[in-house]
Amino acid sequence: MAKLNELPAYMDILGNKIYENRKLSGILDDPRVAAVTGCGAQNRILKDLWHDINRNSHVLQIGLTFGNEIITVYGKVHQQGKLDIFDISDTQIDFARERYGHREMNIIKHDAVAAWDEKYDVIICYNLLHELPLKTRQKVMDNVLDGLTNGGKAIFVDYAKPKWWNPLRWPLLWYNRLYRPFAESLWQQPIENFCSNKDAFRWSHTYYNGGMYQKAVAVRKILSSDDVLKLTKLFRSIR
């Protein structure tokens, strides 16, 4: 029988072990370091993320992150909205509660592979999917999409396939193969292909730094394609 608070096996991969190293987490959390490790794309991504969220949104973040991403989201919603954060690492939760403890955000230990009851206006997965095995990724994405309110949006920020001319393309490919074995799948197909019900949502994509990073936004369709077809036939029949 698994231990009650045992971390999933994928957290033991070398690239994921940093989250259990408190000293290294403190270094990576420095916004200057985060900007370098993000190859300069983070500021542009966070600027776009700011505009994707309304001030009165109830937001769920799946996974704690390094740098200014959480502060950016909190800064947008803390006066009129609400921010909840799920994470599975006690080390990261303790670290975050020390850093953000004076701010009004809820940091909750929860594995997003398991569904939750509350519905959210916005759910964010920021540099998370590339860390997850494919079956785990699908479960998390399905739960994220199921966890949206009507009209809510899911925002997935993660790796993408660098353009052929990007000088970091090949070094990044080999780095991923050594330390991030699930990341290369994000080079091979769009993010929405990893969930079960992609056709129920409208997807938009933005790419950064010559294709190194992407932001995929999913908004639930109000009408299905079949509904649109039926309405089109109806309108034509009453002309």
Side-chain angles (χ1 to χ4, degrees):
M1 181 180 295
K3 297 178 183 179
L4 181 61
N5 292 319
E6 186 177 13
L7 291 172
Y10 66 82
M11 290 294 292
D12 201 41
I13 292 171
L14 187 59
N16 291 346
K17 284 186 175 181
I18 60 173
Y19 300 113
E20 296 305 300
N21 186 318
R22 180 62 181 269
K23 184 175 181 180
L24 183 56
S25 292
I27 294 172
L28 293 173
D29 195 48
D30 187 314
R32 295 166 297 183
V33 176
V36 172
T37 57
C39 301
Q42 189 178 65
N43 287 341
R44 284 190 57 210
I45 295 172
L46 295 186
K47 183 178 179 180
D48 287 350
L49 189 62
W50 171 276
H51 292 295
D52 284 324
I53 303 170
N54 293 328
R55 292 186 180 275
N56 61 349
S57 296
H58 187 184
V59 178
L60 173 63
Q61 168 102 15
I62 307 293
L64 290 156
T65 59
F66 298 134
N68 284 331
E69 186 265 334
I70 288 174
I71 291 297
T72 298
V73 176
Y74 175 79
K76 187 65 178 284
V77 303
H78 79 279
Q79 291 183 333
Q80 301 177 38
K82 182 180 178 183
L83 174 60
D84 294 342
I85 304 170
F86 289 167
D87 206 284
I88 59 175
S89 167
D90 288 323
T91 301
Q92 289 300 312
I93 289 172
D94 291 343
F95 181 48
R97 285 176 176 163
E98 290 178 12
R99 182 179 180 189
Y100 307 122
H102 62 291
R103 294 181 169 90
E104 295 179 357
M105 61 177 74
N106 298 314
I107 302 173
I108 304 161
K109 184 168 185 180
H110 183 78
D111 188 343
V113 169
W116 55 90
D117 294 329
E118 195 154 6
K119 300 294 184 181
Y120 292 87
D121 302 312
V122 178
I123 303 181
I124 302 169
C125 290
Y126 192 94
N127 281 345
L128 172 68
L129 300 183
H130 71 265
E131 299 175 352
L132 305 179
L134 297 188
K135 289 185 178 179
T136 303
R137 184 186 299 170
Q138 179 179 316
K139 290 178 181 178
V140 169
M141 290 188 69
D142 287 349
N143 286 338
V144 166
L145 296 175
D146 288 342
L148 295 172
T149 59
N150 291 330
K153 67 173 67 172
I155 303 172
F156 302 95
V157 175
D158 222 294
Y159 294 173
K161 183 177 182 179
K163 301 292 186 182
W164 64 268
W165 48 261
N166 192 318
L168 295 177
R169 176 186 172 108
W170 293 108
L172 184 59
L173 175 66
W174 288 107
Y175 173 84
N176 288 341
R177 289 185 176 180
L178 289 171
Y179 303 112
R180 299 288 191 189
F182 312 120
E184 192 172 343
S185 61
L186 292 169
W187 290 35
Q188 298 166 351
Q189 52 188 311
I191 277 179
E192 58 265 35
N193 284 1
F194 296 101
C195 66
S196 300
N197 195 24
K198 67 176 183 179
D199 292 336
F201 296 83
R202 301 191 188 281
W203 296 83
S204 60
H205 302 83
T206 307
Y207 296 92
Y208 305 88
N209 275 30
M212 285 182 62
Y213 296 95
Q214 62 179 308
K215 178 170 67 73
V217 178
V219 179
R220 189 183 301 276
K221 294 178 181 177
I222 298 175
L223 296 175
S224 69
S225 298
D226 288 341
D227 290 334
V228 172
L229 182 59
K230 290 176 183 178
L231 287 173
T232 301
K233 291 180 178 179
L234 175 63
F235 290 145
R236 286 176 177 173
S237 67
I238 61 177
R239 280 184 176 180

